[in-house]
Structure formats: C-alpha cells, structure tokens
Amino acid sequence: MEGGIAADTRLPTPTLGRPSSSFRLRTQSLNTLRLRRIFDLFDQNGDGEITIEELALALDRLGLGADADADDLRSTVAAYIPTGRAGLAFEDFDALHRALGDALFGGPAAMEEEMEGEEGTVEEDMREAFRVFDEDGDGFISAAELQAVLAKLGLPEGRSIARVQEMICSVDQNSDGRVDFGEFKHMMQGITVWGA
C-alpha cells in the first residue's frame, strides 16, 4: 500500500457516455484551482475531508446521483481513503481525480500528446466554465443565473440575492449588472490558489 492507495485497486470501467474534454484541464494550475474549489464545495461540514456521504450528496445535487450506483461509489472512493480516516483529504481527492482521468482519457503521456499543437485550450476551458453559469446562453452571467448555480451546489451564498449581486458587482467592470466572458476571464486569471 502506497499513500493510502492499494496498488492492485482497479477502477470500474466507466459506463457513462464520452465525458467532457475539460474533465482534466490541460493547464495544471487551473486544474488544481478547479479541483480545490470542487473539494471545498463537496466538503459540506468544512472539516477538510469529503466523506462518501458528502460526495453522494454533491452528486445528487448536480443531478448525477441517479447514475451513480451507491456500492460502486463506495468501493471506488473507499480505496482512496487512508486507514483511520473518515474521508478523502484534498490529496486523496486529487489522486482519485487523476486515476479517473487516466481511466477515461489515458495516462499523462496521452494528455501530453493531446496538448501538442493545441492552442487556446485554456481559453476553451474558461469558456466551458463560463457556460455552466450562463444558463440561458445569452453570453452573460446574471445575478439570477449565478444564484441558481450556487443554490444547486448548496452554497449559502445562493440563498441571498443581495450577496449574489455583490459578487456580480465585484467582477462587473462595465457596471451593466452582469458578467460577460471577458470579465469572467479576468476574474479567473486573477485567482490565487493557497495551499495547492
């Protein structure tokens, strides 16, 4: 056993359709940032660990719970939880994410080959992230759209339109009351990941 992961652990063969190409972002710093944010969202009680129950709840909130077999989820995730711990620490969650990425897309060598000759992948990844929030596809993130996404994720900010409007205003450079892709991109480029 190395790092809490059994060497002979095998991930189940994915039964889902082709996953999004942004499952594993091509820029490591953006991938780490995104993964840290996801970890923090899934860690409902803020104890620094994601239990299997917290993960199942997050998948349900994202509308993916029906696709996940509870026993498969438990057996896959349990293999990454070190002995004596109740859940996944960020490093364990990262290891699980990497293993799933390798199982779905091939190892790091396949990722490097995919990256060769590609330009604009960071921009594409940011556009895909932007589209998650731009629910109506009009090219802007409104306070209502941001609130809906935050509420779906179970975040307390999603309960207060005033708080959501403050969030929009902090990014809205042209003061039109909504966030366009340029403003979103500027905000994303200015984020620093602490402890990642």
Side-chain angles (χ1 to χ4, degrees):
M1 187 178 283
E2 186 176 278
I5 301 171
D8 63 344
T9 301
R10 300 252 192 266
L11 291 171
T13 304
T15 57
L16 303 175
R18 177 85 176 126
S20 166
S21 61
S22 71
F23 175 84
R24 178 169 50 194
L25 298 178
R26 292 159 185 88
T27 305
Q28 186 57 38
S29 61
L30 280 177
N31 201 30
T32 301
L33 169 66
R34 182 186 72 165
L35 199 60
R36 184 72 215 198
R37 285 184 165 187
I38 292 169
F39 179 87
D40 292 341
L41 290 173
F42 287 7
D43 181 15
Q44 292 291 305
N45 62 1
D47 66 353
E49 291 184 353
I50 300 173
T51 63
I52 294 169
E53 291 74 23
E54 286 173 321
L55 185 58
L57 176 64
L59 292 173
D60 280 342
R61 285 185 173 157
L62 293 170
L64 302 171
D67 294 336
D69 179 336
D71 291 332
D72 284 346
L73 179 64
R74 184 171 300 284
S75 65
T76 299
V77 174
Y80 289 85
I81 300 174
T83 305
R85 294 235 312 267
L88 300 164
F90 178 71
E91 296 75 25
D92 309 319
F93 187 66
D94 184 41
L96 173 62
H97 179 261
R98 288 178 195 272
L100 289 171
D102 290 349
L104 294 169
F105 300 107
M111 189 173 148
E112 287 175 20
E113 287 174 16
E114 189 178 303
M115 287 173 54
E116 288 178 9
E118 287 188 20
E119 293 183 17
T121 55
V122 172
E123 179 102 0
E124 291 169 25
D125 288 337
M126 281 196 201
R127 284 197 184 280
E128 186 167 339
F130 180 81
R131 284 191 294 269
V132 168
F133 294 94
D134 180 18
E135 292 187 321
D136 65 6
D138 68 352
F140 299 96
I141 301 170
S142 68
E145 288 171 318
L146 179 58
Q147 184 178 31
V149 172
L150 295 174
K152 285 178 190 174
L153 293 172
L155 295 173
E157 291 88 347
R159 291 186 217 127
S160 166
I161 191 66
R163 175 66 184 120
V164 171
Q165 288 170 332
E166 287 175 24
M167 294 168 75
I168 293 284
C169 287
S170 71
V171 178
D172 181 17
Q173 296 173 345
N174 64 2
S175 300
D176 66 353
R178 50 196 188 163
V179 177
D180 62 35
F181 178 71
E183 293 164 335
F184 179 82
K185 181 177 171 182
H186 184 261
M187 183 237 0
M188 291 298 289
Q189 290 172 332
I191 293 174
T192 303
V193 180
W194 300 104

